Amino acid sequence: MATIPSLPSREDVLRMARSTTDITGQLLDTAGNITKIAVNTLDPRDGSGAEALRVLRKTTADLAEASASPQAQEAFYRIVDTLTRLGTTGAPLAVHPVSEPAQALLTALGDSLLPVLDAVEPAVEEVAEALGEFVDALSPLLPAAAGLTAGVLLALTPLIRAAAEVLRDGTPELRRIADALTSTLAPLMPLQVALAERAAAAGAGVVRATLSPLADLTEAAAASMKAARPVLIAGEELLVASLEQLQPLLLATASRTGRVARAAAVRVSAAVSPRADGPLVVATSA
């Protein structure tokens, strides 16, 4: 026979009542704040509320009209079709046997990559900052690069269309090629698998045998690098000092080359586009 549960004590009832009263008070205060926000936003005395409602009504009307257009309906259809394909193909992939090693690989990568990401985080932040400065410095070249890219794409469009037409016309021949390759390569696959297994076993043995000497070589190289660190630092300082000494000469050479190039451009422009008020005179010197 089931026992009758005991009734709550007087302290439990008082605690529940106080908690309920507190929650109710907070909800009422929140509702009051929301009401004040709505009243302040839609106050009809200065016309701001009516204007906000008018803008909201106009915006929703424009959205309703735009959503009924054929372009919007086509976009909605594509979105729904994409989601349907993802749903129909994602579920079989999730239960496919290949998904188990993929999940194990992702789990192992997640567990091993976290310490690596923590270690490289400062360097990544500095690289990201430097990359942002580099992009800002290259910003004047972006319009020219965009124009060049657009020109290249326009030039490639006829080639892509021609290639598509050729492939479309050659579908039977492509199918014959695929059938011939399949019939030729299919018998070789078991042999390739066996050879791959033997190669993997041999490679694993070689790796196991070379790990210990490689570790010794790495330790020796690290010790040599530590010993040669002062020499390397001195060489780097010498190289930087040499570049600093050559900087004025390089700047002067670049400036002189720029002046010569501008003068040559002016002469070429004058020769190609002569003035209309005089004949074209080309002087040559022996």
Side-chain angles (χ1 to χ4, degrees), residues 146-174:
L148 180 62
T149 303
V152 172
L153 292 178
L154 290 176
L156 291 178
T157 299
L159 298 177
I160 296 174
R161 289 179 178 174
E165 292 179 359
V166 171
L167 293 177
R168 190 182 301 109
D169 296 338
T171 300
E173 287 75 11
L174 293 176

Side-chain angles (χ1 to χ4, degrees), residues 246-262:
L246 290 176
Q247 182 179 4
L249 178 61
L250 295 176
L251 292 177
T253 304
S255 178
R256 189 176 299 108
T257 304
R259 288 196 298 268
V260 172
R262 284 195 294 269

Side-chain angles (χ1 to χ4, degrees), residues 17-236:
R18 283 194 298 269
S19 177
T20 304
T21 303
D22 188 15
I23 294 174
T24 304
Q26 293 181 8
L27 291 176
L28 291 176
D29 291 340
T30 303
N33 294 332
I34 294 175
T35 304
K36 290 180 181 178
I37 293 173
V39 171
N40 294 331
T41 304
L42 303 177
D43 190 358
R45 288 177 295 180
D46 55 356
S48 61
E51 180 66 18
L53 290 176
R54 188 189 66 79
V55 172
L56 183 60
R57 181 182 62 81
K58 181 66 169 59
T59 304
T60 53
D62 293 340
L63 290 176
E65 183 178 357
S67 62
S69 63
Q71 295 83 0
Q73 293 297 319
E74 179 67 19
F76 294 155
Y77 172 76
R78 291 179 180 178
I79 293 174
V80 173
D81 183 63
T82 303
L83 293 176
T84 303
R85 292 185 179 182
L86 288 176
T88 54
T89 58
L93 289 177
V95 298
H96 197 275
V98 179
S99 64
E100 293 185 3
Q103 292 176 1
L105 177 61
L106 291 176
T107 302
L109 288 177
D111 295 338
S112 60
L113 283 180
L114 288 178
V116 177
L117 294 178
D118 293 337
V120 302
E121 181 180 359
V124 171
E125 291 179 353
E126 293 183 2
V127 171
E129 184 178 357
L131 183 60
E133 296 178 358
F134 180 73
V135 172
D136 291 338
L138 287 180
S139 58
L141 298 178
L142 293 180
L148 180 62
T149 303
V152 172
L153 292 178
L154 290 176
L156 291 178
T157 299
L159 298 177
I160 296 174
R161 289 179 178 174
E165 292 179 359
V166 171
L167 293 177
R168 190 182 301 109
D169 296 338
T171 300
E173 287 75 11
L174 293 176
R175 186 174 293 109
R176 290 170 55 192
I177 292 173
D179 294 340
L181 290 176
T182 302
S183 60
T184 302
L185 296 177
L188 298 177
M189 292 307 297
L191 178 61
Q192 297 299 323
V193 172
L195 291 177
E197 291 178 353
R198 292 172 57 188
V206 171
V207 170
R208 291 192 187 96
T210 56
L211 280 179
S212 180
L214 182 60
D216 296 337
L217 180 61
T218 305
E219 290 179 352
S224 301
M225 289 295 295
K226 290 180 181 179
R229 184 180 303 171
V231 178
L232 294 176
I233 294 176
E236 292 176 355

